[in-house]
Amino acid sequence: MLRRTLLAAGFIGLAAAATPSVAEELKELNVGVLSTDTSAALKKNWEPLIADLGKAIGMKANGFYASDYAGVIEAMRFNKVQVSWFGNASAVPAVDRAEGEVFGRGTGVDGTQGYYSLLIVNKDSPIHSLEDIIKSPGTYTFGNGDPNSTSGFLMPSYYAWAKNHIDITKQFKRIAVGNHQSNMVAVANKQVDVATNNTEDMAKFAKSQPDKVAEVREIWRSPLIPGDPLVYRKDLPADLKAKIKAFFVAYGTPAAGPGWEKQKENLANLSYGPIRASDNTQLVPIRQIMLFRDKIKLQDDANMSAEEKTKRIGEI
């Protein structure tokens, strides 16, 4: 989902190559959003929440719009970003390599505890199911997602392709990589035959680009993906972490006090419901999927020796 969309907080003037050490020097927060829609739509929908966050923690908050997950992960690693709303797959390297710690997760506007990865095609496409693609190797073009995206890459890589022993480099005659918005537009304009997406972003696009959404349809849906995790650097001052967590968990609920109804509306404009508390255990199922996906790829690798294959699978 933010799949996709990211919240990134915290910029301090440190050189990219330097290892940060003084989180207490933080003076302003930059709240970053992954570019899954047009810049104008992103700013319109995110700025109210960003402003509310700044008021709640007593620190200036600014919007910072990121182009991909990798950039935000690296920014957190070098302490230019202290808080981020990742997808589950991108939260794994944030926790493993960027001193991250999960503290919350999103829910759907309708109360669902997660969202779904999708494969979409043009409404006039002859493709009506995943099986239609599998039985036609070399026929179609594919719009894949960011390699750090849960819904745009990881879930279809495992559930649609790996479990069916499909090597997408051989299955499709051409593969393009894009974000959720560009993939949706590419399908609508018949620039690719099938592409990845997710239910949360499609709900947002239905509001911002209804003419394009009307041109696409879903042919495959993944199992439920846990709501997007919110991650902060674990070395932030304890009082600041407490303020950040309290803000998000209360936001859009009566616990936030006067004005909570407007906050709820702000979240709905982002296709989110209330934020729930969470921790790093949320990522365990995602880690398992990553490992099973890698294991299946190794098993299907005809160019690897049996000895090397056994060794690599053993490591997994």
Side-chain angles (χ1 to χ4, degrees):
M1 314 137 179
L2 296 165
R3 338 179 238 53
R4 356 175 322 296
T5 299
L6 305 174
L7 276 185
F11 173 85
I12 53 182
L14 297 173
T19 301
S21 61
V22 283
E24 58 268 32
E25 291 182 2
L26 199 66
K27 301 298 182 183
E28 294 186 5
L29 296 174
N30 280 349
V31 179
V33 181
L34 186 70
S35 297
T36 59
D37 204 342
T38 63
S39 295
L42 285 172
K43 291 181 179 179
K44 176 183 177 182
N45 291 331
W46 282 99
E47 288 302 323
L49 185 149
I50 293 169
D52 289 342
L53 173 61
K55 293 176 184 177
I57 64 175
M59 187 180 296
K60 185 180 178 183
N62 311 295
F64 176 85
Y65 297 90
S67 61
D68 59 30
Y69 294 100
V72 179
I73 294 168
E74 285 302 293
M76 177 170 278
R77 178 186 171 199
F78 289 108
N79 206 14
K80 290 185 176 182
V81 161
Q82 282 71 46
V83 180
S84 179
W85 198 337
F86 289 103
N88 285 276
S90 54
V92 171
V95 168
D96 292 350
R97 302 198 304 265
E99 299 298 318
E101 178 184 350
V102 176
F103 70 90
R105 62 177 174 81
T107 66
V109 175
D110 59 358
T112 56
Q113 299 303 301
Y115 63 107
Y116 300 90
S117 172
L118 303 175
L119 291 179
I120 58 173
V121 299
N122 189 275
K123 67 177 184 179
D124 300 323
S125 172
I127 304 172
H128 293 278
S129 67
L130 178 61
E131 179 59 31
D132 286 344
I133 297 173
I134 293 173
K135 69 183 182 183
S136 303
T139 302
Y140 300 116
T141 56
F142 178 46
N144 209 358
D146 185 319
N148 286 307
S149 171
T150 309
S151 60
F153 188 86
L154 177 62
M155 297 299 276
S157 290
Y158 176 64
Y159 285 106
W161 313 130
K163 291 193 74 172
N164 287 297
H165 304 282
I166 297 297
D167 179 346
I168 62 171
T169 63
K170 298 177 181 178
Q171 181 70 29
F172 295 101
K173 61 182 181 182
R174 179 172 63 86
I175 298 174
V177 177
N179 61 28
H180 302 303
Q181 193 258 357
S182 62
N183 277 347
M184 184 274 293
V185 172
V187 169
N189 292 340
K190 299 184 179 181
Q191 295 168 329
V192 296
D193 296 308
V194 59
T196 63
N197 224 286
N198 67 69
T199 51
E200 283 191 343
D201 280 308
M202 288 301 294
K204 287 189 289 186
F205 301 147
K207 297 178 181 178
S208 63
Q209 296 176 281
D211 57 327
K212 295 297 183 183
V213 171
E215 296 296 315
V216 308
R217 58 181 167 81
E218 170 189 336
I219 62 153
W220 175 86
R221 177 176 292 213
S222 74
L224 185 71
I225 304 169
D228 284 342
L230 285 93
V231 178
Y232 48 34
R233 279 186 60 100
K234 57 188 178 184
D235 61 354
L236 281 177
D239 61 335
L240 180 56
K241 288 200 292 186
K243 288 179 182 179
I244 293 170
K245 182 173 183 177
F247 166 79
F248 280 108
V249 172
Y251 197 76
T253 74
W260 72 270
E261 296 95 339
K262 178 58 178 176
Q263 295 178 356
K264 182 178 180 180
E265 182 181 328
N266 292 341
L267 284 173
N269 288 335
L270 299 170
S271 299
Y272 283 104
I275 310 305
R276 308 299 185 193
S278 189
D279 56 39
N280 287 349
T281 59
Q282 170 172 335
L283 304 179
V284 170
I286 303 301
R287 293 180 183 277
Q288 292 173 330
I289 290 171
M290 289 176 167
L291 291 172
F292 278 119
R293 177 201 59 189
D294 293 345
K295 179 180 178 181
I296 290 172
K297 285 184 177 180
L298 287 172
Q299 290 174 334
D300 291 345
D301 190 344
N303 297 317
M304 185 177 293
S305 69
E307 182 179 358
E308 178 67 13
K309 189 177 295 188
T310 298
K311 177 184 175 182
R312 297 277 296 277
I313 291 176
E315 290 172 351
I316 289 177

